[in-house]
Structures are given as C-alpha cells and as structure tokens.
Amino acid sequence: MRTPFAEKLEQRGVSRRDFLKFCGLMAATLGLPAGSGRALAQSLEAAVRPPIVWLEFQDCTADSESFLREPTLINLLFDSLSLDYHETLMAPSGAQAEKSRLDTIRDYAGQYICVVEGSIPTADGGVYAMIGGRTALSIAQETCSNALATIAVGNCAWDGGIAAAAPNPTGAKGVGGALPGLSPLINLPGCPMNVVNLTATIVYFLANGQWPERDSLGRPRFAYGEEIHEECPRHHHYEAERFVLAWGDQGHRNGWCLFRMGCKGPRTRHNCWQVKWNGGTNWPIGAGHGCIGCAAPNFWDNLSPFYTALTDD
Amino acid sequence: MPKIFMPLVINNPQPSQRIVIDPLTRIEGHLRLEAQVENGQVAEAWSAAMMFRGLEIILKGRDPRDAWVFTQRICGV
Ligand code: SF4
C-alpha cells in the first residue's frame, strides 16, 4: 500500500526505489548495520517533520550551496522539513522576511530546527553583521534559544572559521562560542559542510527522536570519528613512502601520497573519503590535491600554510 | 516592478517618504536598500553591504600560495 508520504515523494519525482536508496545511504553514513535501510524508511515515513529556520551570518553561502547541490536529498528534505526562513532562498524580503522568522519562532516554539551558517561577530557591539537593523548575535540568541535544536553547519558556525582567522578583525565566533551553554548544539564542521552529514543528522533525529552521539567538540561521531589519513585510499603509498614530490610528477600521476605536498589528512577527522562530494563523485585527495584540513579546529591558522608539509604526523 | 517587492509598496503614498528593504533576500550576502521617494518617484537610493569579515586584513603576511583558498571563501555561490 502506498503511504501518503510515498505519494508526496512521487509527486516530486522521487520513486520508492530512490527513497530506499536514500535510506541505504543514510544507514551507511550513520554506520548502522547492513539491512537497516528499510527500518529507517519506515520510521521516516511516520516521523513528524519540524520546520527549519536557516540563519546566515558571516558566511559565503557555500553551506547552502552544498545543501542545494544534492537534488534527491533536497527533494526528501523539502518534503520532510519545511524551510521557513532562509535568506538566500525565501521569497519575502525586508520586514516580511523578519516576520517569517518571528512567526516560526512563535508558532513552533521549541519545535523547529535552527541551522546556522557563518560566524557571529562580537567586536564593536556586533556591527559587522546586521540583518533588519539587528545584530547577528541578538538574532542568534532569539532564534537558537527557542529552537528544538541548533545545527551549526560549516567551520564558521563551529569555531568562527575564516573570519576568526588571525587577527580576527571582527571578533568572529562560532555558535558555541557566541552562545555559551546552548543545548542541544550539533556541530557539522567542514568548509563547506557536507550535505550528506546534515541530512544524516536530521534523519537520525527523525527516526530516533534524539540527536546522534557527539564528541567533546560537539561533532557527530558517525561523521568525525575517523582521521582522513587512516582511511585514505593513498595510505598504503604513505606506508611505503611513495610520495608525490612535485605537481604533475610521476608519483602524482600514479596517485601516490600527498603528504609532502602539504596534505593535512593526518590532522583532520571527517568522513569525506566515504561520502565524497557532488553526489558521491569525488573528493579533494581523490582529485589529486592534498587535504587542507577544512573540518579541523581553526584550520585557517593551525594548518596553514597549506602547501607546506606537516613536520610530524 | 517585480512581484516580490509588491508587499513592500506602501498603500497610502506620502509626498515624501523613505522605504527600507533589509534584508534583501535571494542574494548571497546581506544587503540593505533604502530609497527616498518623492511624489511616487525614487529621488535617491542607497545600498549597503551589512556584513564584513576583513579578509583583506586576514590575508596580510600569509603564504601567497594560500591566497586562493582564502579568497575563494568571499563567495561560495
Ligand atoms: S597524507 Fe594525505 S594523501 Fe597521504 S595517506 Fe594521509 S591523507 Fe592520504
């Protein structure tokens, strides 16, 4: 029998098969045992679907772009989650835009998910990001404190990201730094965040009624549990000391290890080797460029210069 | 006038009034527009970028080979 959810998906051009494939990808990303996809599909069909308020502060919109690059995931997300406020996507402007945000906060108090993209400037009274005449900090306070949960997407919303790189002219902070004590707060670092991980985080919540287990830095263990270096398909070259020494040399053509070219895989925990980008097409190391460590804490300062080899691993 | 701005049109136009649109949505970044309207005509208009990160300041003194990685983050669209 076709459920109303399945019918809705079909109207959006997502077949039952696509949906089950999606659930399989989610189960694999979440590290669930083989064959959990179907159970996940059942709980997703029955789940209550919270609205999303998506706040952008000191950002470049790449996390939104990452989100929009995955048509199947988007179809499923828009079906299962209503995006009530997103500055780059919503139709209303000006006071009408503010009204959408405030209406959601009021009508769905404690029931909506707040996604934050971009850092929050705290220097000089917060003047470096103003929306509708209000500081990013005051908007974040109001929106996050009334949410069911806050998901910080991208490095900027996690640790201040690029705006917080030395000398941090605007006093930029991540959500956790700007709003101490905010809970639950789920951090999905990466520059940008990977939409598969955002989707899997929300799917986990819809299916289980709780947020995935997180490490001491607030990152879900399913996505940030492993070091890229350990899982890297080039790791056997590293072990055998077969290194790329110049762009385009024979080692580079052979797909050898990028450590000497500055790869920061040994300092970075992320599952991009597994979920990849652009619908699972490829990822930086797969394309022959070292990892810049974009999901690591304060990588703009801690892991640059990006083309200088780490002195130890 | 594009349909999206219709809700912002003021019903009882005054001889002289200021219209503010902030935030201007569906663009990358945070933009504010103000228009001074005289007898139904825009007499003057101002736009302001409402977000600053200081990437020019952050780039100073860094390895030049890294510049593209930083400047790429000006806009991710
Ligand atoms: S240094 Fe980089 S390319 Fe080499 S094995 Fe580690 S992660 Fe892979």
Side-chain angles (χ1 to χ4, degrees):
Chain A
M1 202 192 76
R2 268 161 73 231
T3 59
F5 181 68
E7 265 174 36
K8 257 178 149 183
L9 285 180
E10 262 173 42
Q11 280 167 13
R12 288 165 172 267
V14 180
S15 67
R16 176 89 193 146
R17 210 186 138 90
D18 290 339
F19 179 58
L20 288 175
K21 214 173 126 195
F22 166 80
C23 291
L25 169 69
M26 290 295 110
T29 305
L30 289 165
L32 303 178
S36 317
R38 263 174 204 278
L40 196 58
Q42 275 176 4
S43 16
L44 279 184
E45 288 183 350
V48 182
R49 324 199 178 285
I52 287 191
V53 174
W54 186 302
L55 302 176
E56 293 180 76
F57 297 131
Q58 284 176 303
D59 71 323
C60 73
T61 316
D63 301 294
S64 295
E65 284 290 335
S66 175
F67 174 63
L68 294 170
R69 283 314 101 184
E70 299 280 3
T72 312
L73 303 193
I74 297 313
N75 264 316
L76 288 153
L77 270 182
F78 273 114
D79 214 280
S80 57
L81 302 146
S82 56
L83 207 53
D84 284 358
Y85 179 95
H86 187 301
E87 261 190 85
T88 312
L89 303 177
M90 68 195 300
S93 263
Q96 304 291 329
E98 275 303 278
K99 187 172 179 301
S100 300
R101 185 178 63 84
L102 294 170
D103 284 353
T104 305
I105 294 181
R106 188 193 59 222
D107 298 345
Y108 294 94
Q111 296 164 51
Y112 62 91
I113 297 172
C114 180
V115 175
V116 180
E117 170 174 9
S119 48
I120 299 172
T122 59
D124 302 323
V127 295
Y128 299 113
M130 304 280 294
I131 299 158
R134 291 183 53 186
T135 62
L137 184 60
S138 78
I139 292 172
Q141 255 154 2
E142 179 179 67
T143 316
C144 298
S145 60
N146 284 298
L148 167 73
T150 300
I151 305 179
V153 296
N155 264 62
C156 297
W158 178 42
D159 63 10
I162 190 166
N168 192 355
T170 61
K173 290 184 175 174
V175 179
L179 304 175
L182 180 71
S183 172
L185 169 65
I186 298 98
N187 289 318
L188 298 178
C191 190
M193 63 94 191
N194 194 303
V195 66
V196 177
N197 294 332
L198 173 64
T199 315
T201 299
I202 295 173
V203 160
Y204 185 95
F205 176 78
L206 293 179
N208 299 296
Q210 55 188 24
W211 297 97
E213 195 196 338
R214 278 152 281 152
D215 65 15
S216 60
L217 298 174
R219 305 173 295 184
R221 289 190 195 280
F222 75 82
Y224 302 90
E226 315 288 343
E227 207 171 70
I228 288 174
H229 181 59
E230 297 300 328
E231 305 296 333
C232 179
R234 298 185 186 221
H235 192 85
H236 63 287
H237 294 304
Y238 175 86
E239 290 294 342
E241 299 189 23
R242 287 190 292 265
F243 296 111
V244 177
L245 299 175
W247 300 118
D249 70 5
Q250 199 52 45
H252 197 209
R253 286 162 203 232
N254 294 345
W256 288 358
C257 171
L258 295 154
F259 183 82
R260 298 266 177 87
M261 302 306 286
C263 182
K264 305 297 184 281
R267 296 279 175 80
T268 312
R269 293 175 171 275
H270 202 204
N271 60 351
C272 49
W273 53 272
Q274 180 191 7
V275 297
K276 301 186 179 166
W277 298 91
N278 297 322
T281 306
N282 208 347
W283 66 304
I285 291 174
H289 191 283
C291 163
I292 61 167
C294 81
N298 299 105
F299 80 99
W300 294 103
D301 289 338
N302 291 350
L303 297 181
S304 62
F306 298 122
Y307 295 101
T308 300
L310 293 169
T311 42
D312 58 84
D313 55 11
Chain B
M1 181 173 280
K3 212 171 170 193
I4 178 168
F5 292 115
M6 291 308 280
L8 300 164
V9 172
I10 293 163
N11 289 328
N12 307 306
Q14 310 295 313
S16 171
Q17 64 190 142
R18 179 72 71 99
I19 295 175
V20 179
I21 306 170
D22 179 11
L24 189 77
T25 56
R26 299 207 281 181
I27 54 153
E28 195 284 312
H30 302 280
L31 192 70
R32 175 187 172 99
L33 289 182
E34 287 186 53
Q36 183 65 34
V37 181
E38 305 290 350
N39 302 314
Q41 300 263 338
V42 174
E44 274 198 88
W46 301 265
S47 66
M50 302 307 291
M51 188 273 275
F52 175 76
R53 286 171 293 176
L55 294 182
E56 303 83 345
I57 303 166
I58 292 165
L59 269 168
K60 274 189 190 161
R62 293 190 186 256
D63 188 319
R65 294 172 300 171
D66 290 352
W68 72 268
V69 193
F70 284 78
T71 53
Q72 195 187 45
R73 268 71 184 178
I74 291 171
C75 178
V77 174

